[in-house]
């Protein structure tokens, strides 16, 4: 039972490591899903199992004025240098002070995780080795996010939900997901996504 209970993310990690590089020497892996679905937690757990793989949080590239208009920054500041085998350096948005301040460096590691709403968008997919969709119903994910952030951010969430709905209507990720990940009592269940084909699960329950 123990080995089965741990096989979900373990199987996913083995699969990610076996992928061919997609951006220079890097396997860029998108972790996408609705806001509040648990993408940061999943990416953190995957990163730990990958021996400390770097994680790019798309909240660092987005801003109040451009919730989803960060594609050019990603391509220029992240994808381009990684494709050359060079570290990526990108500006980080300060959500409290509403300015880009400071810089982060992303090394060209064997696997780099990109997590956030829209990580599997059309413009990024040519650079991605795998698109992972965290399968949580939209309403449930948004309710989690609102509870997490508290009533003081209710106005932000009102605007966010409308923007996210527009984004996925125009540029959906789910139909292009290689893998689906569902949370369960024992951790995660990993299944083939629409682009990954049918058949049995890639890995069983586990965290």
């Amino acid at each position: 039972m123990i080995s089965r209970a741990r096989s979900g993310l373990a199987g996913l990690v083995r699969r990610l490591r076996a992928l061919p590089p997609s951006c220079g020497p890097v396997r860029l892996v998108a972790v996408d899903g609705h806001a509040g679905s648990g993408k940061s937690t999943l990416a953190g757990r995957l990163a730990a199992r990958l021996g400390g793989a770097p994680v790019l949080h798309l909240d660092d590239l987005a801003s109040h004025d451009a919730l989803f208009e960060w594609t050019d920054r990603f391509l220029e500041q992240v994808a381009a240098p990684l494709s050359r085998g060079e570290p990526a350096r990108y500006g980080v948005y300060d959500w409290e002070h509403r300015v880009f301040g400071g810089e982060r460096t992303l090394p060209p590691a064997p696997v780099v995780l990109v997590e956030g709403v829209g990580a599997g968008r059309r413009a990024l997919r040519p650079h991605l080795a795998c698109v992972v969709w965290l399968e949580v119903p939209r309403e449930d994910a948004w309710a989690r996010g609102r509870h997490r952030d508290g009533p003081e951010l209710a106005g932000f969430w009102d605007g966010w939900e409308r923007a996210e709905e527009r984004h996925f209507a125009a540029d959906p990720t789910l139909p292009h997901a290689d893998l689906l990940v569902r949370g369960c009592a024992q951790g995660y269940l990993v299944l083939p996504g629409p682009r990954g084909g049918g058949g049995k699960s890639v890995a069983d329950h586990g965290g």
Side-chain angles (χ1 to χ4, degrees):
M1 288 297 293
I2 293 177
S3 61
R4 180 178 176 83
R6 291 179 178 173
S7 64
L9 293 192
L12 177 52
V13 164
R14 287 193 297 269
R15 178 169 181 141
L16 297 182
R17 282 177 168 154
L19 292 169
S22 60
C23 188
V26 176
R27 296 156 185 83
L28 268 183
V29 175
V31 179
D32 205 339
H34 297 293
S37 59
K39 297 178 300 300
S40 296
T41 298
L42 174 60
R45 290 177 179 174
L46 284 173
R49 286 175 176 261
L50 286 161
V55 180
L56 187 156
H57 301 282
L58 290 176
D59 283 350
D60 290 342
L61 297 183
S63 69
H64 283 89
D65 297 326
L67 294 176
F68 289 97
E69 291 75 34
W70 42 258
T71 300
D72 289 344
R73 283 197 292 277
F74 182 93
L75 295 177
E76 295 169 6
Q77 300 178 23
V78 179
L82 291 182
S83 70
R84 300 189 295 267
E86 301 170 359
R89 294 179 176 84
Y90 57 95
V92 176
Y93 186 68
D94 185 326
W95 287 87
E96 182 179 355
H97 297 97
R98 294 175 176 252
V99 295
F100 279 92
E103 185 180 77
R104 286 191 182 149
T105 300
L106 199 68
V111 178
V112 173
L113 301 166
V114 180
E115 76 82 18
V117 180
R121 62 173 44 181
R122 184 183 304 112
L124 270 59
R125 287 197 290 270
H127 306 280
L128 299 175
C130 183
V131 177
V132 176
W133 177 265
L134 189 51
E135 198 172 45
V136 176
R138 182 180 65 179
E139 290 75 15
D140 293 349
W142 288 351
R144 288 184 194 177
R146 284 180 177 271
H147 177 74
R148 176 194 65 203
D149 293 342
E152 62 273 14
L153 290 181
F156 172 82
W157 269 94
D158 290 343
W160 171 271
E161 290 175 3
R162 292 190 294 270
E164 182 182 311
E165 192 170 22
R166 287 193 301 269
H167 167 72
F168 281 134
D171 191 356
T173 293
L174 180 55
H176 303 278
D178 299 290
L179 299 169
L180 304 178
V181 176
R182 300 173 187 166
C184 58
Q186 295 178 315
Y188 293 96
L189 177 66
V190 184
L191 299 165
R195 197 170 70 172
K200 64 181 180 180
S201 64
V202 175
D204 292 318
H205 294 282

